Amino acid sequence: MFFHIVLERNMQLHPRHFGRDLRDKLVAKLMKDVEGTCSGRHGFVVAITGIESVGKGLIRDGTGFVTFPVKYQCVVFRPFKGEISEAVVTMVNKMGFFAEAGPVQIFVSNHLIPDDMEFQSGDIPNYTTSDGSVKIQKDSEVRLKIIGTRVDATEIFCIGTIKDDFLGVISDPGATS
Amino acid sequence: MAEKGEKGFSLSNGGKSSLKSPASFKGKDDSTAKSKRGRKVQFDAEEAKISMSSKSGGKVDKPVARGDWGKGGKGDKIANGGEVPVVKAPPPLELKIEHELPENAKCLMDCEAAEILQGIQEQMVILSEDPAIKIPISFDRGLQYAKRGSHYISPHPVRRVLDALKLHNVSDGEVSMIANVGPESVEEVFALVPSLKGKKSKLREPLKDALDQLAKLKHST
């Protein structure tokens, strides 16, 4: 789920950047340091939308670097347990399938896939119902519920299920009308 | 297949046991204290049952339960029925955003996020001509996801329609999830957002109205 949030960060700037473009350089450095990063609390910082305030700089003893406290607004993406998400399948194997919802990877175990769907190996591995009416394969869109999340330094990984009501395949890339 | 099943069972049992472990640990603590505390320990077992059934509240429930243990002896009659808390069915997983994000966080619907990120992308096209500036992958993926999840022609009327639900104590996160999912019926809403089930009778009519209005705002497919 996306959120619009105000975060704060202490930015260090080398004296060579001081001058009339100080603020622009500070903002550019902030974007470079923060956009695309991931934290357990806020999720992925997708984009910075604005700068709320830049505080007074403090010179660090011995180095000459200056630290500025910067408050900025940004759009973050963070998955939550219990959230319903529409993801695109990226890989299917006998243990389950992997899907992507934005920058987040989600794994759905075969135990959390309806029992009437079975794994079919082959050139295009997939899960299919016994009558062949519903198929989950690479690039299928599925609606799933997130039941667990894990965050590491660079990404968020989730576990999902499609075994509840109103969950499952939304669109199948291989479907012919 | 059997091997897969076994492995799966061990994994799922491991998962289930880890879910059950808070209760079992409580049981163990109670048993050591049983000889000392008597009445209070039996009440603890019932509290453990109660805290397990409201497990979706997570860690917050435990200290509250412990606080209540010292207060009443109601557990005497009830707790005699079972010493070990047995969870019959786990409660449906509910969305709880407010506890985990700072108060200033504003929940965005996918269509709103798509509009914001689209505007930023137009500026980034100019910036991307500078080879020193790299657009992060999470931005592209986030924008793609927001566009794909956006079912509506415009986000502003959607926000107006769904904000009316907040008068009925529907939270920001729940409103955003309803917008993102684009449900076709009230039953679908209650199935996907189990936290609303408790207010089913009060929410049925407002939800129906909201869904009817949202249907008119969707992209024609």
Side-chain angles (χ1 to χ4, degrees):
Chain A
M1 199 176 278
F2 289 99
F3 297 89
H4 202 204
I5 196 171
V6 175
L7 296 177
E8 191 166 351
R9 188 180 174 89
N10 289 327
M11 299 297 305
Q12 273 199 28
L13 217 53
H14 190 278
R16 70 169 177 265
H17 298 300
F18 297 167
R20 63 179 180 180
D21 296 331
L22 174 76
R23 189 186 161 96
D24 292 339
K25 291 195 173 158
L26 198 56
V27 172
K29 189 169 191 296
L30 176 72
M31 287 171 69
K32 191 178 157 196
D33 286 356
V34 164
E35 281 184 351
T37 59
C38 174
S39 78
R41 186 162 157 77
H42 306 122
F44 281 93
V45 178
V46 174
I48 291 175
T49 55
I51 304 290
E52 246 190 29
S53 66
V54 179
K56 290 183 181 176
L58 286 176
I59 303 172
R60 293 178 70 87
D61 291 338
T63 62
F65 277 81
V66 174
T67 303
F68 293 90
V70 180
K71 271 192 186 170
Y72 58 99
Q73 295 160 355
C74 56
V75 173
V76 299
F77 184 84
R78 190 194 145 168
F80 281 88
K81 281 190 224 181
E83 183 183 341
I84 306 296
S85 190
E86 294 180 3
V88 177
V89 177
T90 52
M91 193 175 91
V92 180
N93 61 33
K94 62 180 182 179
M95 302 303 292
F97 65 85
F98 287 88
E100 248 176 35
V104 166
Q105 298 285 323
I106 305 170
F107 175 65
V108 179
S109 162
N110 55 15
H111 296 284
L112 296 173
I113 295 172
D115 298 332
D116 60 346
M117 297 193 85
E118 286 204 355
F119 176 67
Q120 313 287 336
S121 59
D123 289 340
I124 304 177
N126 61 82
Y127 282 86
T128 312
T129 47
S130 48
D131 61 1
S133 59
V134 181
K135 196 185 272 193
I136 300 174
Q137 61 189 34
K138 189 170 182 289
D139 297 330
S140 295
E141 286 186 26
V142 294
R143 183 192 278 175
L144 48 81
K145 178 189 273 195
I146 293 172
I147 59 170
T149 59
R150 191 198 79 208
V151 183
D152 67 19
T154 56
E155 61 173 352
I156 299 178
F157 188 79
C158 299
I159 302 289
T161 178
I162 57 168
K163 214 172 183 177
D164 281 344
D165 293 338
F166 298 100
L167 300 179
V169 177
I170 302 169
S171 74
D172 178 2
T176 53
S177 55
Chain B
M1 287 290 284
E3 281 179 10
K4 180 181 78 170
E6 282 170 11
K7 279 183 190 170
F9 268 121
S10 68
L11 280 171
S12 64
N13 274 340
K16 281 181 186 171
S17 65
S18 69
L19 282 173
K20 282 183 183 171
S21 60
S24 63
F25 275 129
K26 275 192 178 178
K28 282 181 187 172
D29 287 340
D30 291 343
S31 66
T32 55
K34 251 184 189 172
S35 56
K36 294 178 191 175
R37 291 191 186 176
R39 209 178 270 186
K40 282 186 183 177
V41 171
Q42 289 173 342
F43 189 71
D44 291 351
E46 181 54 22
E47 282 301 319
K49 270 191 201 176
I50 292 166
S51 69
M52 272 306 296
S53 65
S54 59
K55 184 166 55 66
S56 58
K59 291 174 188 174
V60 178
D61 284 342
K62 289 179 193 172
V64 171
R66 282 186 183 156
D68 285 340
W69 287 348
K71 284 185 182 173
K74 285 181 189 175
D76 282 349
K77 292 175 190 172
I78 306 160
N80 285 335
E83 293 177 356
V84 176
V86 174
V87 178
K88 288 180 184 175
L93 197 53
E94 295 182 357
L95 187 68
K96 298 220 182 256
I97 290 173
E98 288 76 23
H99 302 300
E100 299 191 39
L101 279 178
E103 284 176 6
N104 66 9
K106 187 193 165 198
C107 200
L108 293 176
M109 302 183 295
D110 286 350
C111 47
E112 287 173 327
E115 198 181 51
I116 294 171
L117 295 179
Q118 191 88 47
I120 293 172
Q121 192 191 37
E122 283 158 14
Q123 295 172 12
M124 276 192 174
V125 166
I126 302 162
L127 292 173
S128 66
E129 288 167 1
D130 181 351
I133 295 173
K134 285 179 191 173
I135 297 170
I137 298 170
S138 58
F139 178 85
D140 284 331
R141 287 189 181 160
L143 176 57
Q144 224 174 21
Y145 175 79
K147 274 185 184 170
R148 202 180 61 238
S150 170
H151 307 285
Y152 310 100
I153 302 166
S154 168
H156 306 290
V158 175
R159 178 54 77 180
R160 275 198 298 273
V161 167
L162 290 175
D163 276 353
L165 290 177
K166 288 188 190 172
L167 298 171
H168 301 275
N169 292 327
V170 180
S171 68
D172 267 342
E174 289 162 346
V175 158
S176 296
M177 206 152 82
I178 293 170
N180 295 342
V181 161
E184 292 173 0
S185 69
V186 175
E187 295 312 320
E188 193 174 341
V189 174
F190 288 127
L192 296 175
V193 192
S195 48
L196 296 178
K197 274 184 187 167
K199 311 166 216 169
K200 216 170 182 173
S201 53
K202 289 181 190 172
L203 280 177
R204 192 171 284 278
E205 278 307 312
L207 266 176
K208 192 171 178 314
D209 292 339
L211 293 182
D212 289 340
Q213 291 178 56
L214 287 180
K216 296 173 193 169
L217 297 170
K218 281 187 181 175
H219 285 297
S220 54
T221 50

